[in-house]
């Protein structure tokens, strides 16, 4: 059986993917603690192809489109970009491109072009054939059983996304399947799936021990490994908002659903730290144009990609 990669990690898989990708991104952005400006450009423009397209624009057109984007970021039209405005814009950009990707995937998955994606079509796109596991029969091989569990979870999420109980998912339902974090009616399903996975004692919460999974400290070790210390810190300081030592459903949601807010805030602060020439903790158009290369190598313009997307620089958004 060929197990193709998921185009987007979903449900509880989002947890692992988000944590891993965040660490990878941090290492790429700040290798050995040194800031890489070309990382910003690559992420902003979306890759070398977009960088090449950006270079083809005349300086006048670059300035025109960039100024248009700056005005759209400036929600209160006071001539300055604050941390909140930059963060809000970056989060909107993340969501826009996630939705665009899902729309492109929808066309690829809809093999018969009937305007819906069936469960069979999803399997064929993912694995080149239709896979059907018995829900009540575990497999002997550990790796195959792990895949069976993930595949069944995907099927449950697919069925939950299918609101009209039709033979397949329409575009809106497909987006709910691929990005349940963006759709309100999928929230309860995501929470319940997380509880089934982690709430071992069935009390409706996830304790620190349950959060850490199967980890048990080596009795010969004086302290926990670094990754456990990091996870404990995340549990205590990021997720357990009421500090009662366990995650309730809403706190659990902030763990299992990737939240771009923190990434966006970090990038907004980074831009202000680097570009704020008069130390007023906000950016004027002049400061941005003075540091145009830096702004175009940041997530604020999706690394310049927005200069080629009318959705962002057109007069109406």
């Amino acid at each position: 059986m060929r197990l193709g990669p998921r185009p987007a990690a979903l449900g509880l898989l989002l947890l692992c993917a988000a944590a891993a990708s965040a660490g990878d991104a941090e290492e790429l952005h700040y290798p050995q603690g040194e800031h890489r400006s070309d990382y910003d450009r690559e992420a902003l423009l979306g890759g070398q192809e977009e960088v090449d397209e950006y270079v083809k624009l005349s300086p006048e057109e670059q300035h025109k489109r960039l100024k248009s984007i700056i005005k759209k970021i400036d929600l209160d039209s006071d001539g300055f970009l604050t941390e909140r405005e930059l963060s809000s814009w970056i989060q909107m950009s993340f969501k826009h491109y996630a939705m665009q990707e899902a729309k492109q995937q929808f066309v690829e998955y809809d093999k018969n072009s009937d305007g819906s994606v069936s469960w069979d079509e999803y399997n064929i796109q993912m694995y080149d054939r239709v896979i059907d596991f018995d829900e009540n029969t575990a497999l002997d091989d550990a790796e195959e059983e792990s895949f069976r569990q993930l595949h069944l979870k995907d099927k449950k999420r697919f069925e939950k996304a299918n609101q009209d109980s039709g033979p397949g998912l329409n575009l809106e339902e497909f987006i709910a399947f691929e990005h349940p974090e963006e759709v309100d009616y999928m929230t309860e399903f995501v929470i319940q799936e997380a509880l089934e996975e982690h709430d071992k004692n069935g009390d409706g919460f996830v304790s620190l021990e349950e959060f850490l999974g199967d980890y048990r400290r080596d009795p010969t070790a004086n302290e926990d490994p670094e990754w456990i210390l990091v996870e404990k810190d995340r549990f205590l300081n990021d997720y357990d908002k009421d500090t009662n030592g366990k995650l309730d459903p809403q706190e659990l949601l902030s763990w299992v659903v990737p939240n771009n807010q923190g990434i966006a805030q970090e990038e907004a602060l980074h831009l202000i730290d680097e570009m704020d020439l008069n130390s007023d903790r906000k950016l004027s158009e002049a400061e941005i144009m003075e540091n145009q290369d830096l702004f175009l190598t940041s997530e604020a313009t999706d690394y310049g990609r927005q200069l080629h997307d009318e959705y962002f620089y057109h007069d109406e958004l």
Side-chain angles (χ1 to χ4, degrees), residues 60-270:
E60 293 78 13
E61 186 63 22
Q62 290 177 20
H63 288 175
K64 178 182 176 181
R65 295 187 185 186
L66 180 55
K67 288 181 178 181
S68 178
I69 290 173
I70 292 170
K71 289 181 180 179
K72 288 183 171 64
I73 301 175
D74 184 14
L75 296 176
D76 59 9
S77 301
D78 68 347
F80 298 94
L81 305 188
T82 63
E83 175 197 341
R84 177 174 294 184
E85 288 171 329
L86 284 165
S87 177
S88 177
W89 178 267
I90 292 169
Q91 290 179 70
M92 183 275 292
S93 175
F94 287 159
K95 182 174 181 178
H96 170 72
Y97 284 115
M99 296 303 100
Q100 291 298 104
E101 180 184 12
K103 291 177 181 178
Q104 293 172 1
Q105 291 173 349
F106 181 81
V107 175
E108 297 172 0
Y109 282 59
D110 183 13
K111 300 300 183 182
N112 61 3
S113 302
D114 66 348
S116 69
V117 174
S118 68
W119 178 242
D120 285 354
E121 287 176 320
Y122 170 78
N123 274 265
I124 291 171
Q125 175 67 23
M126 289 299 302
Y127 311 113
D128 291 334
R129 66 187 183 91
V130 176
I131 298 174
D132 185 24
F133 286 113
D134 186 336
E135 295 184 13
N136 302 312
T137 304
L139 301 178
D140 294 333
D141 182 84
E143 183 177 348
E144 291 182 359
E145 173 60 16
S146 178
F147 174 70
R148 185 184 76 93
Q149 293 290 340
L150 291 174
H151 191 265
L152 290 174
K153 287 180 180 180
D154 274 359
K155 187 175 183 180
K156 287 175 62 178
R157 189 176 68 257
F158 189 95
E159 292 171 348
K160 177 64 177 180
N162 189 2
Q163 280 194 302
D164 60 11
S165 300
L169 305 182
N170 60 33
L171 177 57
E172 289 72 23
E173 292 168 336
F174 183 78
I175 289 174
F177 172 69
E178 287 291 327
H179 296 281
E181 73 279 6
E182 301 291 353
V183 182
D184 290 341
Y185 77 83
M186 295 293 288
T187 299
E188 186 61 35
F189 173 82
V190 172
I191 292 174
Q192 188 58 40
E193 189 177 48
L195 286 173
E196 291 176 3
E197 177 78 11
H198 300 283
D199 179 21
K200 302 302 183 183
N201 63 8
D203 65 351
F205 299 90
V206 173
S207 66
L208 175 60
E209 182 179 359
E210 290 169 332
F211 177 83
L212 295 176
D214 295 330
Y215 170 74
R216 298 293 182 272
R217 179 190 289 185
D218 184 342
T220 64
N222 293 325
E223 61 181 16
D224 291 320
E226 179 65 24
W227 73 272
I228 285 293
L229 298 177
V230 170
E231 290 303 301
K232 285 183 176 180
D233 180 74
R234 291 173 63 210
F235 181 94
L236 296 172
N237 298 312
D238 294 342
Y239 305 131
D240 186 17
K241 300 299 184 183
D242 58 10
T243 66
N244 67 348
K246 54 187 178 181
L247 305 185
D248 62 33
Q250 286 305 311
E251 291 171 331
L252 185 62
L253 191 64
S254 70
W255 172 38
V256 299
V257 173
N259 188 341
N260 289 319
Q261 181 178 356
I263 299 172
Q265 288 177 337
E266 181 179 338
E267 182 69 5
L269 288 171
H270 165 64

Side-chain angles (χ1 to χ4, degrees), residues 10-52:
L10 293 162
L12 294 179
L13 292 178
L14 287 170
L15 163 68
C16 301
S21 62
D24 293 343
E26 181 71 13
E27 176 61 25
L28 290 170
H29 200 176
Y30 295 93
Q32 287 80 51
E34 297 294 326
H35 178 246
R36 253 191 67 205
S37 62
D38 59 326
Y39 169 88
D40 290 333
R41 178 177 292 277
E42 289 165 5
L44 180 65
L45 292 172
Q48 188 60 43
E49 181 179 347
E50 284 79 8
V51 172
D52 293 340

Side-chain angles (χ1 to χ4, degrees), residues 80-83 86 268-291 294-295:
F80 298 94
L81 305 188
T82 63
E83 175 197 341
L86 284 165
L269 288 171
H270 165 64
L271 287 173
I272 291 174
D273 288 342
E274 295 293 329
M275 301 172 65
D276 178 21
L277 301 178
N278 61 3
S279 301
D280 62 356
R281 302 307 297 164
K282 53 188 177 183
L283 302 180
S284 66
E285 181 181 286
E287 287 173 323
I288 293 172
M289 300 309 292
E290 177 73 18
N291 294 275
L294 177 59
F295 200 69

